[in-house]
Amino acid sequence: MGAVRVKVPQIRTSILLKITSNEKTNLFNSPSGNYYMQNAPMVLFHPDGNFIISAKITAELREVYDVASLVIYQDNNLWAKLCFGNSIKKETTVVTRGFSDDCNSIKITDDFVYFSIAKKGEEFSFHCSTDNVNWELVRHFRLECNDSSLMLGFAVHCSKGEKFSAVFSDINYSKNVLENMRTYK
């Protein structure tokens, strides 16, 4: 397990990325301080100082805590993930500043979703879409990170089941910034 680091220029690609996670994997620092697990397989790269990334995530969510996500990751104590996950309500995002701040948001009923992460300075926004055209804000937040050590990418984990896979497709990356971080414009 662990992160795979790759160099990625500005891209618009039809490449498919499939990540499979074994059992008992996670990317979570419990708010209680009693549980830290960071063994989720990730594919990460160093992004530009400002960026927009979007991807279609396809997965069959079976077990509670089957999760496929877009991730911004600096270190074990500073990261955030936009999750297509089978949480108790099948709707979650997590921001971690030492301890994880788990937030249920939009329920997805299909086996796929489009996600986007945008960064402008220390401002981040997470958006989702069911059609890759109409985007809805999931979370807007500040995360003070070091651009030289910040990484961006894809992760999956499987806390309860035996194995979990997700496919990331329609991947678009740009060093452009959103004019309005809340409305995806």
Side-chain angles (χ1 to χ4, degrees):
M1 298 294 159
V4 176
R5 291 170 175 82
V6 295
K7 287 187 174 186
V8 177
Q10 186 164 338
I11 60 168
R12 182 175 299 266
T13 182
S14 59
I15 294 173
L16 300 178
L17 172 64
K18 182 177 181 179
I19 303 174
T20 299
S21 173
N22 291 328
E23 64 184 337
K24 296 184 175 41
T25 55
N26 207 337
L27 180 58
F28 194 73
N29 294 355
S30 172
S32 69
N34 296 328
Y35 175 82
Y36 296 85
M37 187 174 285
Q38 298 200 6
N39 61 349
M42 296 186 278
V43 175
L44 302 171
F45 63 95
H46 287 284
D48 294 285
N50 296 312
F51 61 81
I52 303 168
I53 188 169
S54 65
K56 180 180 182 181
I57 302 173
T58 305
E60 185 180 330
L61 304 172
R62 292 181 301 250
E63 299 293 330
V64 173
Y65 305 127
D66 282 353
V67 172
S69 57
L70 293 184
V71 178
I72 49 178
Y73 188 91
Q74 180 168 299
D75 58 41
N76 289 346
N77 292 307
L78 189 65
W79 50 270
K81 61 182 178 175
L82 176 55
C83 303
F84 179 39
N86 203 4
S87 68
I88 299 298
K89 293 186 173 188
K90 296 186 179 184
E91 47 193 37
T92 187
T93 65
V94 178
V95 174
T96 298
R97 295 175 188 95
F99 300 99
S100 294
D101 170 1
D102 206 349
C103 172
N104 289 337
S105 51
I106 298 166
K107 187 170 185 166
I108 306 299
T109 57
D110 293 317
D111 284 343
F112 70 92
V113 67
Y114 294 89
F115 277 168
S116 176
I117 296 177
K119 178 183 183 291
K120 181 167 51 173
E122 293 177 336
E123 181 181 11
F124 289 86
S125 64
F126 289 169
H127 289 87
C128 78
S129 173
T130 57
D131 60 9
N132 202 21
V133 175
N134 300 296
W135 292 88
E136 186 172 339
L137 179 68
V138 174
R139 196 166 191 164
H140 183 222
F141 60 98
R142 180 181 181 92
L143 192 62
E144 296 177 12
C145 48
N146 181 339
D147 282 352
S148 65
S149 59
L150 183 68
M151 293 179 285
L152 174 65
F154 315 89
V156 300
H157 60 75
C158 177
S159 299
K160 304 281 185 185
E162 294 179 18
K163 188 179 273 195
F164 175 67
S165 295
V167 174
F168 300 86
S169 61
D170 298 337
I171 301 166
N172 294 298
Y173 173 83
S174 172
K175 61 183 179 179
N176 295 329
V177 295
L178 294 175
E179 189 174 312
N180 186 327
M181 295 286 281
R182 297 183 67 78
T183 62
Y184 207 75
K185 294 182 182 180

